[in-house]
Amino acid sequence: MPRARAHSFLASRWGRTVAAPAAGALPALAFPAPGLWWLAYGALVPWLLLIRSAPTGRRAACEGWLGGAGFLLAVHHWLLPLLHVFIVVVAVGLGLLWAPWGWLVRRLLGPGAAGGRRAAGALVLLPAGWLLVELIRSWQYLGGPWGLLGASQWEVEPALRLVSIGGVWLASLLVVAVNTALVVLVALPGARRVAVAGLAGCATGVAGVWTWSPAPRPAGTVRVAVVQPGIVDGSDRRFDRQEELTRGLAGRGVSLVVWGESSVGSDLRERPDLRRRLAALSRDVGAELLVNVDARQAGQPGIFKSSVLVGPRGPTGDRYDKMRLVPFGEYIPARSVLGWATSIGQAASEDRRRGARSVVMRVPGVSAGRPSARHAGAGTGATPAPPSAAGLRLGPLVCFESAFPDMSRRLVQNGAQLLVAQSATSSFQHSWAPEQHAALAALRAAETWRPTAHATLTGVSAVFGPRGTPVGGRLGTQRSAAAVYDVPLAAGISPYVRYGDWPAYGAVAALLVAAVAAGGRAHRRRARAERPVDPAPEHLDTGSPVGS
């Protein structure tokens, strides 16, 4: 009886309304911190099965919308302290992007879709439709590309190989295609051959990329240190702790020391005392320092977040101002309309200012080296070669800019050899956010064939090599420490850097072709329905008159 009541509830309109966001939220478990990456390959199945059984196309679109809202709430639930109830408003608004996808699910997998032709179309068009949703919501003013489904595969080496070919977009396509094939296998007995062929095609494609995809060429190593002060109240005390940790790196052969986001709370042009202390640190350690200044710039209105390179004589002149700001955290979109968000959460009371361009910095006197036993006790045992006049080319990113594939791709096209993401997630210290943010560095490294260092104030700090695999250990959210990494460099251009977002273009093209074909079929049906029917010919009596 309880089972019958449960089935009756799920079959009702209210039951489906509750089930849709719950089913949409399930894929969030594949992301860090739970990290059940394997779940992603079946996590969409309950949602897809629910939508395909919708009684109408309108209801399917509604359940796509509700499921999308549930997915966004689950992946971004850690934003509750910042936005409070406004996170629900944002999720419901962006969830609308999945409404057309829900309609498409029912169209291709719903009643009357028993044939293999529609099932084959579903294997192509449903992943393409999902990717289109990801592309739209990746626009920085809609929140940016946090929680892309392919990002759940950040620690799976075969998936990272796919990422190097087509970016995180290709991994998203794979995950949705596998889920779609499983639904066809379960729900459409007449199309199981199509489902098996689809699963075999996915497996063959991944195996082919794993076996034959190009690889970056090793280009030596560079010794990098990441300084993570931990939770420290006040910018001055944080600076003191970072200074203490950095001073302990003296004599360890480090070429670059990276501090996290907002590691310096005053403009260095206004604070000669801080400039002198940083320059002295650079001299003592024998390395350049990449710090992050969160302050009003001298002679300019507003607050900037800026990566600043500091050498033995002070700031070198290399400076990058953050370009893509966190909605609500660093600015309020349409503040005149949505400014009330500051009264219910921790939304930005003042809009930060945006930088104008990306910057590739040059760390003078640094070049790659070969493994050596001189520093075998630290990192992986490699040490930099003697200094070179060429220097190391460094591509800085600040905070959630590491979520944007196009930014790291542009830096590498401009010559960056090492990507550095400076971050601070202390507001979300005990949530999934630190783990999710660190995982993004692995994806950017795999996409670009360039090692990526993710340096934070309070964890998680980590370094990933040119294939996206970890280098050394991580600094978790409970650590206050400095860690040294011998970072492998790489030469060559990855297919993703060379060809860009081609999976996205292919997905859009597939949807357009399908839309044109469907429009053509609809037009032909209307034309046949409107064609006048010729009247039947009259039967003439040609016989002789009666009684003749």
Side-chain angles (χ1 to χ4, degrees):
M1 190 66 177
R3 179 180 294 182
R5 282 199 298 265
H7 183 271
S8 176
F9 174 73
L10 290 176
S12 69
R13 185 180 184 88
W14 284 109
R16 297 181 69 94
T17 299
V18 172
L26 186 60
L29 297 176
F31 292 86
L36 306 177
W37 61 265
W38 46 268
L39 183 63
Y41 293 95
L44 293 178
V45 170
W47 188 13
L48 288 165
L49 289 173
L50 180 71
I51 294 174
R52 72 171 294 273
S53 66
T56 65
R58 179 177 295 183
R59 183 65 198 181
C62 179
E63 290 169 3
W65 172 24
L66 293 172
F71 173 74
L72 292 174
L73 275 174
V75 173
H76 298 86
H77 72 274
W78 44 268
L79 284 170
L80 277 169
L82 179 68
L83 298 179
H84 289 273
V85 70
F86 201 77
I87 184 61
V88 178
V89 177
V90 172
V92 169
L94 290 179
L96 278 169
L97 294 172
W98 275 273
W101 184 77
W103 177 87
L104 187 62
V105 169
R106 186 182 183 278
R107 173 76 175 175
L108 296 174
L109 298 178
R117 186 173 179 178
R118 281 197 185 181
L123 291 178
V124 175
L125 297 179
L126 293 187
W130 182 282
L131 192 58
L132 181 60
V133 172
E134 290 196 335
L135 286 169
I136 295 172
R137 76 178 184 88
S138 293
W139 188 39
Q140 58 175 311
Y141 299 105
L142 291 180
W146 195 290
L148 302 181
L149 196 55
S152 66
Q153 306 303 296
W154 69 276
E155 57 184 333
V156 184
E157 288 195 41
L160 291 175
R161 296 284 181 92
L162 287 177
V163 165
S164 72
I165 301 295
V168 67
W169 317 113
L170 193 54
S172 287
L173 284 174
L174 171 70
V175 171
V176 182
V178 171
N179 277 273
T180 304
L182 290 177
V183 170
V184 173
L185 195 65
V186 170
L188 300 178
R192 284 176 177 164
R193 289 185 180 180
V194 174
V196 171
L199 291 171
C202 290
T204 302
V206 172
V209 169
W210 176 264
T211 305
W212 290 297
S213 63
R217 301 187 305 275
T221 60
V222 63
R223 178 159 288 176
V224 176
V226 172
V227 173
Q228 180 177 297
I231 298 178
V232 181
D233 293 330
S235 59
D236 290 339
R237 292 183 60 192
R238 183 188 302 123
F239 190 99
D240 293 342
R241 179 57 178 158
Q242 291 168 136
E243 184 179 37
E244 176 188 1
L245 291 171
T246 302
R247 203 172 297 282
L249 297 170
R252 299 189 64 180
V254 172
S255 298
L256 176 67
V257 179
V258 184
W259 290 10
E261 180 187 9
S262 304
S263 49
V264 179
S266 302
D267 187 3
L268 294 177
R269 288 168 290 196
E270 297 288 324
R271 292 286 302 272
D273 58 322
L274 297 184
R275 289 202 310 270
R276 288 192 295 267
R277 289 169 67 180
L278 289 171
L281 273 180
S282 178
R283 292 192 297 270
D284 293 345
V285 177
E288 310 289 306
L289 275 61
L290 184 68
V291 302
N292 189 271
V293 178
D294 186 357
R296 299 182 186 277
Q297 290 188 15
Q300 296 194 49
I303 300 173
F304 290 81
K305 286 190 176 181
S306 306
S307 300
V308 178
L309 193 63
V310 181
R313 297 181 180 180
T316 65
D318 280 333
R319 181 188 192 99
Y320 166 66
D321 297 326
K322 184 178 182 182
M323 298 167 61
R324 295 184 181 173
L325 305 179
V326 180
F328 298 99
E330 293 171 335
Y331 78 102
I332 303 293
R335 183 178 285 273
S336 61
V337 177
L338 302 177
W340 57 269
T342 59
S343 63
I344 61 171
Q346 302 172 24
S349 58
E350 178 184 353
D351 291 351
R352 294 293 198 274
R353 305 301 295 269
R354 300 177 187 274
R357 62 186 180 88
S358 60
V359 174
V360 174
M361 301 177 177
R362 190 176 295 275
V363 182
V366 177
S367 69
R370 294 181 179 179
S372 167
R374 188 160 72 93
H375 293 285
T380 60
T383 185
S388 162
L392 177 72
R393 294 185 296 278
L394 175 69
L397 299 163
V398 182
C399 190
F400 96 138
E401 289 183 332
S402 64
F404 291 86
D406 66 301
M407 295 195 72
S408 54
R409 178 171 174 253
R410 185 180 304 115
L411 286 169
V412 171
Q413 288 174 329
N414 291 338
Q417 298 169 291
L418 171 68
L419 300 175
V420 175
Q422 296 173 296
S423 173
T425 52
S426 52
S427 298
F428 315 104
Q429 190 71 358
H430 302 293
S431 71
W432 296 357
E435 294 282 353
Q436 287 184 12
H437 204 171
L440 296 174
L443 296 166
R444 304 294 85 84
E447 286 171 343
T448 61
W449 287 357
R450 295 297 181 266
T452 303
H454 181 76
T456 72
L457 294 182
T458 60
V460 172
S461 297
V463 176
F464 299 91
R467 300 304 295 262
T469 53
V471 175
R474 296 148 62 90
L475 293 177
T477 54
Q478 305 302 317
R479 300 285 303 279
S480 174
V484 177
Y485 301 88
D486 288 310
V487 181
L489 301 178
I493 302 298
S494 72
Y496 175 70
V497 170
R498 186 179 301 277
Y499 300 113
D501 301 325
W502 61 267
Y505 304 143
V508 172
L511 291 169
L512 288 175
V513 169
V516 170
R521 289 194 298 270
H523 176 73
R524 288 193 294 271
R525 284 196 298 269
R526 283 196 302 269
R528 286 196 298 268
E530 295 171 359
R531 187 180 303 158
V533 179
D534 294 333
E538 295 183 2
H539 296 284
L540 301 177
D541 187 2
T542 58
S544 301
V546 177
S548 59

